[in-house]
Amino acid sequence: MAFRTEPITVNFGPQHPSTHGVFRMRVTFDGEVIVDMEPVFGYLHRGSEKLAEERTYTQVITLTDRLDYVASMSNNLAYVLAVEKLCGINPPERAQYIRVIMAELVRIASHLMGLGFLLNDLGAFATPLMYMFREREKIMDLFEMVCGARITFSYMRIGGVAEDLPPEFYPAMTRFLKEMPGYIDEYEALLRENEILLARTKNVGILQPDKAINGSVSGPNLRGSGVPWDLRRADPYEIYDRFEFDLPLGKVGDTYDRFLVRLEEMRQSVRILNQAMEQIPKGPVRASVPMLVRPPIGDAYAHVEAPKGELGFYVVSDNSIAPYRCKIRSPSFINLTVLRDMVLGWKLADMIVIFGSLDVNMGEVDR
Amino acid sequence: MYGIGIAKGMLVTIKHLFRRTFTVQYPEERLKVYPRYRGQEFVWYEERCTGCATCAKYCPLGIIKIVTHPVGNPAEGFDYYVDVFDIEIARCMFCGLCVEACPYDALFMGTHYEMASYTRQKLVINVDQLKKAKKQPSAFMRPHLLDVKYEEDTSLTPERAGRMWQGRWAGGEKPAPQAPKTEE
Ligand code: SF4
Ligand code: SF4
């Protein structure tokens, strides 16, 4: 005798460990299969854009730290680039190199964390995460040497960076660059061919390239679908046109491809870092810019390839000491828009993995 | 064949059994912070502070409260005595902008990191605490302090801590106060 069954709606989150922050998914299940999913966010809304309107241009740098808090350096970078564009300031060359070094270091740190938590969600509980945190810790140490903080750096300034690299940075960085490729190989040996991982991620949560483009997805998620788009290549900001690196691309666009793209991107970051440390010139690290800048009336948009995707700042100035408007185009928020299409038809356990593979950061989604 | 991938991963894990541990047992073992560490216990030198309140103005959160009163002869120009210098540490995010803004090298980030407290009231540092505190400033934005090594209870003198008014402390002439580097 057949029972009559009805779909059931479940609230997943907002305080669930695998939602990577405070994120709620209202999921309708038919048995274990997802028939509908509605993302609900806003729990971490702090009004950064509004707060920016009543702070001076320099003070806003501290707000940008709190967007994507695992990759604050690239947030700093995107914001100062926008203001520099607005005022027409050219930072010294050494400052540009330091910024690139910091942005790439933070990309490695963010990918380590993204991969670690993805594997954690997959059931590889804590072991790979701890291995990855060990390397992240070394990067955090480098940041502490440079700017004195480990998460909220506030390191970049309009017209350069706050301070030059300290002497103890160079040996530590050399050691890190020597060790890191070995560790990346280790992560690969740990899980790349693991049968359980393959069964859970291969062909799961496929993001078609056309859907990814239509959804404005950017970053490793887009490249995982095989679209060769990277702002470091497509619109080289700073000095990225001086470095050689490859764009790792996925073939199918499934969770496994996104996993591999991130893994490979860390290698490419190490490559960029090696070149940058070789080329870095001597000189000043800060153009002479007053702490209270007053840009001319106008607007500017600057974007960078943050670890999560295209991070853009649109700053409007009315010639006062605070921005008239500061719009943040955050990659995580826009990458989330395709989540519904990706999880429909999959089971509950797959939803967690697909969400984890998007590597969103709630601090950035809600701003 | 099924299981080879898992075995490979296991091999990596087994290798880790023979590696040196990376973590430390915190309360017994402590890691040294780097010279630029932006930590708690703001270090403030009464002798160097002019009460200009630039630091308060640059704090993105506005958590520094300064009250001064003029002392001295109006004809020679006032000095200002700092009555209140409250830093509401509970809201501070240790961004260091106040330290960067201070034009007279009077305010420094500290090098301490154990900042827990039982009440919120204790999380406001007032001027008496600042005066009495052990002075172990961090080298953040003060590159001349990069090579200073602190012992358990050393305190840095105001002469050593500053880099601009060397002449004044050496008994020389008082140089003209330098205006903060702002546009206005
Ligand atoms: S460190 Fe930052 S938040 Fe704290 S008092 Fe100084 S300027 Fe304000
Ligand atoms: S900016 Fe420096 S000199 Fe001015 S009030 Fe603050 S601590 Fe004192």
Side-chain angles (χ1 to χ4, degrees):
Chain A
M1 171 185 137
F3 286 107
R4 194 172 65 91
T5 57
E6 276 183 7
I8 181 172
T9 302
V10 178
N11 267 318
F12 187 84
Q15 279 160 3
H16 191 278
S18 63
T19 56
H20 301 210
V22 275
F23 177 56
R24 178 152 70 106
M25 291 182 261
R26 206 181 289 137
V27 202
T28 310
F29 292 104
D30 180 9
E32 227 189 316
V33 179
I34 297 162
V35 292
D36 195 14
M37 198 283 282
E38 188 193 343
V40 184
F41 33 74
Y43 292 94
L44 207 62
H45 180 69
R46 290 142 299 170
S48 301
E49 294 181 2
K50 193 72 195 165
L51 285 173
E53 287 171 20
E54 33 196 71
R55 282 179 174 55
T56 65
Y57 282 93
T58 310
Q59 290 174 348
V60 175
I61 294 170
T62 61
L63 291 178
T64 65
D65 279 344
R66 279 137 186 95
L67 298 175
D68 179 357
Y69 40 77
V70 298
S72 314
M73 282 289 186
S74 37
N75 306 347
N76 283 187
L77 177 59
Y79 172 72
V80 296
L81 279 180
V83 180
E84 278 165 10
K85 221 173 179 180
L86 197 57
C87 316
I89 297 168
N90 264 331
E93 204 177 351
R94 185 178 171 84
Q96 298 196 1
Y97 272 95
I98 295 178
R99 286 178 182 185
V100 166
I101 290 170
M102 293 303 139
E104 291 304 319
L105 275 177
V106 98
R107 187 185 314 278
I108 298 178
S110 165
H111 281 348
L112 283 174
M113 205 151 154
L115 290 180
F117 278 108
L118 168 66
L119 296 169
N120 212 5
D121 291 347
L122 271 163
F125 194 67
T127 308
L129 180 68
M130 283 303 144
Y131 290 174
M132 287 171 183
F133 260 52
R134 178 191 54 200
E135 261 59 69
R136 182 173 174 270
E137 189 64 25
K138 291 174 186 162
I139 299 177
M140 294 292 128
D141 272 352
L142 290 174
F143 286 144
E144 191 189 328
M145 282 174 205
V146 172
C147 68
R150 302 171 69 86
I151 300 284
T152 51
F153 309 116
S154 302
Y155 177 53
M156 299 188 189
R157 295 287 189 274
I158 296 152
V161 293
E163 282 182 287
D164 202 352
L165 302 173
E168 73 255 33
F169 179 82
Y170 298 96
M173 182 75 174
T174 315
R175 204 172 58 240
F176 172 77
L177 287 178
K178 216 160 73 212
E179 285 174 356
M180 192 62 204
Y183 284 121
I184 301 175
D185 290 343
E186 200 167 77
Y187 306 142
E188 252 193 286
L190 192 63
L191 284 159
R192 184 176 179 146
E193 291 165 38
N194 188 308
E195 284 81 1
I196 303 171
L197 182 101
L198 291 180
R200 289 290 305 279
T201 56
K202 272 246 160 187
N203 292 324
V204 172
I206 294 181
L207 179 63
Q208 310 290 0
D210 53 340
K211 197 167 269 174
I213 292 171
N214 286 347
S216 282
V217 175
S218 52
N221 299 328
L222 181 68
R223 292 192 285 278
S225 299
V227 184
W229 176 262
D230 186 322
L231 285 174
R232 291 175 290 175
R233 272 283 168 76
D235 177 17
Y237 50 94
E238 296 283 36
I239 43 166
Y240 270 110
D241 44 359
R242 297 185 197 173
F243 303 121
E244 253 176 55
F245 60 96
D246 300 328
L247 288 191
L249 294 178
K251 289 191 191 71
V252 204
D254 54 5
T255 305
Y256 188 63
D257 274 354
R258 287 191 284 276
F259 169 74
L260 288 188
V261 163
R262 292 213 168 84
L263 213 54
E264 192 54 39
E265 257 186 28
M266 290 199 281
R267 285 216 180 88
Q268 299 303 329
S269 288
V270 173
R271 234 174 110 188
I272 296 178
L273 283 170
N274 272 321
Q275 296 171 40
M277 287 307 282
E278 255 171 44
Q279 297 175 10
I280 187 164
K282 289 210 163 25
V285 294
R286 211 166 160 178
S288 111
V289 176
M291 258 184 105
L292 215 58
V293 276
R294 234 181 230 283
I297 295 175
D299 56 351
Y301 177 76
H303 51 191
V304 303
E305 182 73 27
K308 310 267 178 347
E310 175 184 344
L311 172 69
F313 275 81
Y314 176 66
V315 184
V316 183
S317 156
D318 58 353
N319 196 16
S320 67
I321 55 170
Y324 178 75
R325 176 84 173 90
C326 178
K327 161 90 181 96
I328 304 160
R329 185 244 192 246
S330 60
S332 300
F333 175 62
I334 290 163
N335 289 354
L336 258 188
T337 52
V338 290
L339 181 61
R340 181 173 181 274
D341 293 330
M342 286 164 81
V343 299
L344 286 195
W346 293 100
K347 299 219 167 75
L348 168 65
D350 296 322
M351 183 180 80
I352 311 275
V353 175
I354 296 169
F355 176 68
S357 77
L358 277 181
D359 188 20
V360 299
N361 182 304
M362 291 326 280
E364 202 174 44
V365 172
D366 295 335
R367 310 202 278 287
Chain B
M1 204 186 87
Y2 202 77
I4 290 188
I6 296 179
K8 268 190 192 167
M10 278 299 184
L11 215 62
V12 175
T13 316
I14 289 169
K15 255 196 256 162
H16 273 80
L17 280 180
F18 306 104
R19 288 219 183 126
R20 215 158 46 85
T21 45
F22 187 69
T23 45
V24 294
Q25 299 297 326
Y26 160 56
E28 289 89 30
E29 274 177 82
R30 276 148 200 271
L31 293 175
K32 264 204 132 41
V33 295
Y34 292 101
R36 266 185 203 168
Y37 179 71
R38 309 202 298 248
Q40 207 217 355
E41 292 259 320
F42 282 86
V43 177
W44 178 69
Y45 288 101
E46 191 192 357
E47 302 90 331
R48 307 190 66 88
C49 181
T50 58
C52 66
T54 315
C55 49
K57 202 169 115 198
Y58 277 105
C59 175
L61 306 171
I63 57 173
I64 304 182
K65 182 178 171 194
I66 296 176
V67 179
T68 56
H69 73 257
V71 286
N73 183 358
E76 293 168 5
F78 289 121
D79 266 348
Y80 284 93
Y81 183 79
V82 180
D83 300 313
V84 178
F85 197 113
D86 282 354
I87 305 177
E88 200 186 332
I89 269 272
R91 285 174 61 205
C92 178
M93 53 189 174
F94 302 99
C95 61
L97 283 186
C98 50
V99 174
E100 187 178 342
C102 176
Y104 304 108
D105 282 11
L107 191 64
F108 297 77
M109 300 305 288
T111 45
H112 294 250
Y113 50 87
E114 282 151 334
M115 46 185 93
S117 150
Y118 282 105
T119 60
R120 275 178 177 240
Q121 284 74 28
K122 283 199 189 132
L123 286 173
V124 179
I125 307 188
N126 60 25
V127 72
D128 297 324
Q129 274 168 310
L130 280 171
K131 275 179 192 165
K132 270 195 286 207
K134 217 165 29 184
K135 308 236 189 294
Q136 301 193 341
S138 128
F140 174 73
M141 281 292 161
R142 307 281 186 260
H144 59 292
L145 296 183
L146 263 180
D147 51 351
V148 180
K149 300 258 181 309
Y150 297 116
E151 294 303 322
E152 189 41 39
D153 44 33
T154 46
S155 249
L156 217 59
T157 55
E159 294 88 335
R160 178 73 182 82
R163 75 196 136 157
M164 286 181 191
W165 283 21
Q166 302 288 357
R168 176 175 181 179
W169 298 107
E173 227 171 274
K174 180 177 174 179
Q178 285 168 351
K181 259 181 89 180
T182 61
E183 218 179 35
E184 299 165 300

